Amino acid sequence: MRRFFSALLGALLLMAAGFSPAKAAETIRIGYIPVLGSSALFVLDGKGWAKEAGLDVELVRFTSGPQAIQALTSGRIDGYVAGVLPLLQARAHGVDVKVVAAASIEELSVVARGKLASELPKNDGQPLLPATVKAALEQFTTDQGHPPRIAAQPPGSVPDTLLRYWLKKQLGFADPAKAASIVGVGIDAAQQAFLAGAVDGVVLREPALTVVEAKVPDLRVLASGHDMMPDQPGSVLALVKPDAPEHQAWAKTLTALFVRATTLLAQHPDDAVPYVQKALGGGMLDDAVLKKALERSAPYFISDPARIVAGVTALQDFEVELGLLHKADPVSELFNQTLWQQAQ
């Protein structure tokens, strides 16, 4: 009976917001990467909201944003929940894909262990000064005869670009490649390399950050998400041709459900544990660890795409500076903010 009334309430809320159940002509394939920033997708799928709204949504897992973009450009998926920067590459190749909602901000942090961590004082909840971190990186290079190895995701991904942005714009290194030897690998491989001591630092998102903190006693946080870039753009919901007549109905409904799920994560993160556990943990991630990661991330689950426009603009300009993009296009063309506004 409770499930019946919950389903009825969900349908009434959608109808009150101007959304009627949308019958999907075919399966809607949404790619994602296995991080906490994708949690809204797991919630709307796990709670059955998509099916209640008449949508047949298939979740397709990838290990990095650029990998998902390859599937997007080849037409194998209809949208994705991952980092925003690879979408600039997709649009540069002529793909009509738009961000319709944000998912989270300030996801990424940089942490260190071993000799690099030993150069730094304990954080004790307080951020380290940029000058302190820069001096530690320089001292490591002098002592070891090579720069520290820091794992991120492949070039063009948000972790890679943001790491280089932080090294250059926040710490003041003229050449990020000389400040650190950046290792571009998949999300799981980056975490494993750090735990094994194969790299000195790593760019992490939740829940990996909470997992690693519990396993590495000497861990130091070099930079939080806010330290790397205030309102750092995180995961987003992006859809291919959301304005096309054949996509409008399901794009409108899916965006509304995604916003609803993001609001639940921000206000009642504990309610999301079983759905995120199923998607990310596979039964192997401790519920207490996942609960802690969700509670820590709750303030950063936001759906308003306008919140990240300035950050995307700054990072696009930086990718042009790095040579990853030929030119900077108007960032406004990447966003469709109408669907989010209607979902309110």
Side-chain angles (χ1 to χ4, degrees):
M1 185 65 72
R2 286 179 62 191
R3 288 213 298 234
F4 169 77
F5 282 111
S6 175
L8 178 62
L9 177 60
L12 289 172
L13 286 172
L14 285 172
M15 292 173 67
F19 298 95
S20 57
K23 273 290 181 186
E26 57 188 22
T27 300
I28 302 164
R29 298 155 299 175
I30 304 296
Y32 72 94
I33 56 174
V35 296
L36 223 62
S38 301
S39 291
L41 188 62
F42 310 146
V43 169
L44 72 86
D45 179 65
K47 280 187 169 289
W49 294 347
K51 289 183 179 178
E52 290 168 8
L55 300 181
D56 179 14
V57 177
E58 177 187 346
L59 308 191
V60 184
R61 179 177 173 134
F62 296 95
T63 59
S64 71
Q67 187 188 62
I69 287 298
Q70 291 176 5
L72 196 72
T73 55
S74 64
R76 290 187 285 122
I77 56 176
D78 305 295
Y80 96 161
V81 179
V84 66
L85 293 185
L87 296 170
L88 298 172
Q89 297 280 355
R91 288 187 62 83
H93 286 83
V95 180
D96 182 7
V97 60
K98 291 184 180 283
V99 173
V100 297
S104 62
I105 59 170
E106 300 184 5
E107 284 183 38
L108 299 170
S109 298
V110 188
V111 298
R113 65 173 301 167
K115 292 183 172 61
L116 180 56
S118 69
E119 300 285 347
L120 295 159
K122 287 189 176 181
N123 295 108
D124 294 326
Q126 299 299 316
L128 296 170
L129 295 175
T132 302
V133 177
K134 183 180 183 183
L137 293 172
E138 291 173 332
Q139 190 62 50
F140 180 97
T141 301
T142 299
D143 293 345
Q144 303 302 316
H146 60 83
R149 290 165 55 84
I150 301 180
Q153 272 68 77
S157 67
V158 177
D160 179 84
T161 298
L162 197 63
L163 175 59
R164 295 174 194 274
Y165 179 92
W166 171 68
L167 289 167
K168 185 165 187 176
K169 304 296 185 179
Q170 307 290 31
L171 297 191
F173 285 103
D175 185 354
K178 292 182 179 178
S181 177
I182 299 173
V183 183
V185 292
I187 292 171
D188 292 339
Q191 178 181 335
Q192 291 164 5
F194 184 73
L195 288 173
V199 293
D200 308 293
V202 64
V203 180
L204 289 179
R205 292 176 256 211
E206 293 289 6
L209 184 58
T210 297
V211 171
V212 165
E213 281 181 340
K215 294 184 176 181
V216 182
D218 67 338
L219 182 140
R220 299 286 187 275
V221 178
L222 302 184
S224 68
H226 187 79
D227 297 333
M228 295 184 81
M229 171 185 273
D231 276 359
Q232 171 200 126
S235 299
V236 299
L237 171 62
L239 303 177
V240 175
K241 298 181 180 178
D243 301 319
E246 66 272 23
H247 291 178
Q248 284 179 351
W250 67 255
K252 191 175 184 181
T253 303
L254 183 61
T255 303
L257 294 174
F258 194 86
V259 171
R260 179 182 172 194
T262 306
T263 302
L264 180 145
L265 286 158
Q267 297 177 355
H268 306 287
D270 290 2
D271 291 351
V273 170
Y275 312 110
V276 181
Q277 172 69 277
K278 181 179 178 181
L280 296 184
M284 294 184 291
L285 192 62
D286 188 88
D287 274 359
V289 171
L290 186 56
K291 180 174 179 289
K292 180 179 179 180
L294 281 165
E295 289 174 345
R296 291 169 65 172
S297 301
Y300 307 106
F301 285 116
I302 63 99
S303 62
D304 184 358
R307 183 80 174 264
I308 63 172
V309 171
V312 173
T313 302
L315 290 175
Q316 178 184 236
D317 291 343
F318 186 64
E319 287 202 334
V320 172
E321 185 180 330
L322 292 176
L324 294 173
L325 289 172
H326 292 302
K327 62 185 180 69
D329 291 320
V331 168
S332 60
E333 296 179 2
L334 175 63
F335 290 84
N336 174 334
Q337 300 191 41
T338 303
L339 293 180
W340 179 84
Q341 291 163 354
Q342 291 173 340
Q344 301 313 297

